[in-house]
Amino acid sequence: AQTVTQSQPEMSVQEAETVTLSCTYDTSENNYYLFWYKQPPSRQMILVIRQEAYKQQNATENRFSVNFQKAAKSFSLKISDSQLGDTAMYFCALIFGNEKLTFGTGTRLTIIP
Amino acid sequence: KAGVTQTPRYLIKTRGQQVTLSCSPISGHRSVSWYQQTPGQGLQFLFEYFSETQRNKGNFPGRFSGRQFSNSRSEMNVSTLELGDSALYLCASSPGTGGIPETQYFGPGTRLLVL
């Protein structure tokens, strides 16, 4: 079975600062993807970034980047130059094969003006 | 491309009633997954449909069922509603190629309140 753990229930940071959200996971699979999804107050689940496990290079999407440590089974999200619109719940998730997404419990991030 | 759409967006039902939720995937996507989100249990997988067949199923009672049509649109049904079924129901679609991980794209969700 796959597990995803987010140990930071809540975080807050000043606008324009950098924040890192942590995620660890456990799987015996070799071919899997990891994701960060964002869920703002509207409750829409929005894809932030994806990392394929077979890729050594860390994924980046504009202000969002990940630190993927496969051996340590760690997958953290760094948000640079944080903006008020980044306020949301952030979920780390894992998928392999045709299987379901396994989600962590989420981190509530608040950007303070 | 248009995103995943879900209807209705909000529903209020009473205990014992049944409800049907609808999901239209991104054009060309053949796999549709359903998730239930509650404050207590977080995000839980209900089931996944591909080519009109249920391919994966989560650990939910038989009151929860679904189906997929030939145009890949999917519906889920909950019969004999209980208070604990109050939740946000999220639908996600993916291309549906075989055997490899895929990115799932979510709809806006249906908020169900059972009174």
Side-chain angles (χ1 to χ4, degrees):
Chain A
Q2 280 58 238
T3 60
V4 176
T5 302
Q6 294 179 250
S7 58
Q8 305 154 311
E10 293 189 31
M11 296 185 72
S12 60
V13 65
Q14 293 288 137
E15 190 176 6
E17 291 187 345
T18 295
V19 61
T20 299
L21 280 57
S22 301
C23 172
T24 58
Y25 63 94
D26 191 23
T27 181
S28 58
E29 301 291 328
N30 285 320
N31 186 18
Y32 56 90
Y33 288 5
L34 292 160
F35 306 91
W36 281 97
Y37 284 93
K38 163 186 175 181
Q39 191 177 42
S42 67
R43 309 296 298 278
Q44 169 94 46
M45 193 74 77
I46 301 165
L47 176 68
V48 175
I49 199 164
R50 180 184 79 183
Q51 175 77 45
E52 294 91 330
Y54 62 85
K55 290 187 177 179
Q56 292 187 333
Q57 188 172 7
N58 289 325
T60 62
E61 286 288 345
N62 301 314
R63 298 183 295 108
F64 299 88
S65 61
V66 299
N67 183 4
F68 174 47
Q69 301 290 325
K70 191 172 183 178
K73 295 184 177 176
S74 169
F75 182 61
S76 62
L77 174 70
K78 185 172 83 171
I79 306 174
S80 303
D81 186 26
S82 56
Q83 301 174 359
L84 297 179
D86 296 333
T87 292
M89 280 288 287
Y90 286 80
F91 292 95
C92 179
L94 177 152
I95 195 168
F96 72 93
N98 293 325
E99 299 297 316
K100 63 180 172 71
L101 276 166
T102 299
F103 287 92
T105 51
T107 296
R108 185 178 302 278
L109 177 65
T110 302
I111 308 300
I112 303 166
Chain B
K1 278 186 181 179
V4 179
T5 59
Q6 292 186 244
T7 57
R9 295 292 309 279
Y10 304 91
L11 265 180
I12 300 175
K13 293 286 188 178
T14 56
R15 279 180 298 174
Q17 287 186 312
Q18 76 166 19
V19 67
T20 299
L21 312 182
S22 180
C23 172
S24 291
I26 292 170
S27 177
H29 284 192
R30 298 166 63 195
S31 172
V32 174
S33 298
W34 290 89
Y35 296 84
Q36 181 197 64
Q37 186 178 24
T38 60
Q41 300 297 318
L43 283 148
Q44 294 186 286
F45 172 74
L46 282 154
F47 28 65
E48 183 236 355
Y49 285 87
F50 174 75
S51 289
E52 301 179 64
T53 301
Q54 188 180 87
R55 189 161 62 174
N56 290 301
K57 187 178 188 304
N59 188 25
F60 277 80
R63 299 186 297 108
F64 292 81
S65 63
R67 59 178 175 168
Q68 186 179 35
F69 301 93
S70 59
N71 62 357
S72 295
R73 189 177 70 86
S74 177
E75 290 181 346
M76 68 164 282
N77 184 77
V78 187
S79 62
T80 319
L81 283 166
E82 300 177 359
L83 296 178
D85 297 334
S86 294
L88 177 68
Y89 290 88
L90 291 165
C91 164
S93 79
S94 60
T97 48
I100 61 173
E102 294 181 332
T103 301
Q104 293 189 7
Y105 298 91
F106 285 82
T110 294
R111 296 194 205 189
L112 172 64
L113 176 62
V114 182
L115 302 175

